[in-house]
Amino acid sequence: YETEEAAKQAIERVNGMQIGEKTVQVTAFVGRTERAPTTEYTNIYAKNLPDDFDEAKLTEMFGGYGEITSSCVLEDKLGRKFCFVNFEKTESAKKAVEELNGKDLRTEEQKKEQKEDDKPEDYLLYVSRAQTKAERARELREKSAASAPSGPGQQQGVNLYIKNLDENTTDAALRELFEPFGTITSCVAAKDEKEKCKGFGFVCYSTPDEATKAVTEMHLKVVKGKPLYVGLAEKKDARQERLRQRYSPGGMAMGKGMGKDGMGKDGGKGMMAGGKGMGMGMG
């Protein structure tokens, strides 16, 4: 709503209204950062576990806090153990978190081998409410944004988006194509369920200069019969804003040569180039 008063009136009039067999609930929107943390939970997550940790030790460690309805012990690619434990009651889960989080499970020998630069969060037992997949994804995005360079000296133009790749393109083949232009920190050719390339991929360089050189040399270069599209990879919201500005009133005229509904080949937005329509798909 345009005004707070209008929003309040809507809440007063609609909240509690009966529609069919259901009652409508309308409240003021609360942003993620303003919402109270979840206090009711039964599923917990634990990491920094001993190397010999197994289901028996899990039951021994957590069983005293209440009935466990399900549990599992897993390990990451580096062989580090972690686990999930689901209790029947919220009180059991909270008690386990309160008493076990931060506990030192190292042996005396391991404590003696501790280095000066070892951080407590890397060796002390970590126990907390298990996050949902959406919560973990959001936390990773926030950490990435916080650690990204900012200000006048920030680096931009490092990650490239490549389109029009052959279906047999692999990560290694894509890397081989773009390696001559600089140090590649990551490289991936998007695959479908049959492990075939979906026609696009991403290459990340260590410096903007290397990325710029790759764009200059590889954009529209014919590889396996197809002209590659190579450009700077954009975040979804940045791309949408750019396109909104481009096609808003007073922006670039759409003119002749555009595909149907202003769309170019492969679902990309049509753009004018020398009076002719040119489809540039950004995936």
Side-chain angles (χ1 to χ4, degrees), residues 216-240:
T216 303
E217 297 291 334
M218 296 298 289
H219 182 55
L220 298 182
K221 181 175 181 178
V222 177
V223 176
K224 294 188 177 181
K226 295 182 178 182
L228 296 183
Y229 169 85
V230 183
L232 301 182
E234 294 179 293
K235 291 183 177 180
K236 185 178 180 180
D237 53 353
R239 184 167 71 248
Q240 289 176 337

Side-chain angles (χ1 to χ4, degrees), residues 254-265:
M254 294 176 73
K256 295 181 179 180
M258 297 289 290
K260 184 180 178 182
D261 298 324
M263 299 293 289
K265 186 179 179 183

Side-chain angles (χ1 to χ4, degrees), residues 65-161:
Y65 296 102
E67 185 175 344
I68 296 174
T69 58
S70 63
S71 64
C72 63
V73 178
L74 305 165
E75 62 179 60
D76 61 18
K77 293 179 180 179
L78 298 177
R80 296 174 298 191
K81 297 287 184 72
F82 63 96
C83 71
F84 291 94
V85 183
N86 193 57
F87 289 95
E88 183 178 15
K89 297 180 180 179
T90 297
E91 293 75 18
S92 302
K94 288 183 177 180
K95 184 99 173 147
V97 171
E98 289 172 7
E99 295 192 3
L100 293 175
N101 186 46
K103 193 171 182 179
D104 195 340
L105 300 181
R106 296 175 301 168
T107 63
E108 290 302 320
E109 186 177 340
Q110 289 173 327
K111 290 177 182 178
K112 290 177 182 178
E113 294 175 353
Q114 181 178 330
K115 300 175 183 177
E116 289 185 8
D117 56 350
D118 284 348
K119 298 177 181 178
E121 59 264 31
D122 291 334
Y123 59 78
L124 293 181
L125 181 64
Y126 175 85
V127 185
S128 73
R129 177 180 70 86
Q131 293 179 308
T132 64
K133 187 176 181 180
E135 287 174 328
R136 289 197 301 274
R138 183 167 66 248
E139 186 177 271
L140 287 172
R141 285 197 302 269
E142 289 171 353
K143 284 183 178 178
S144 297
S147 62
S150 59
Q154 70 177 350
Q155 288 193 345
Q156 293 183 340
V158 174
N159 200 25
L160 298 184
Y161 168 82

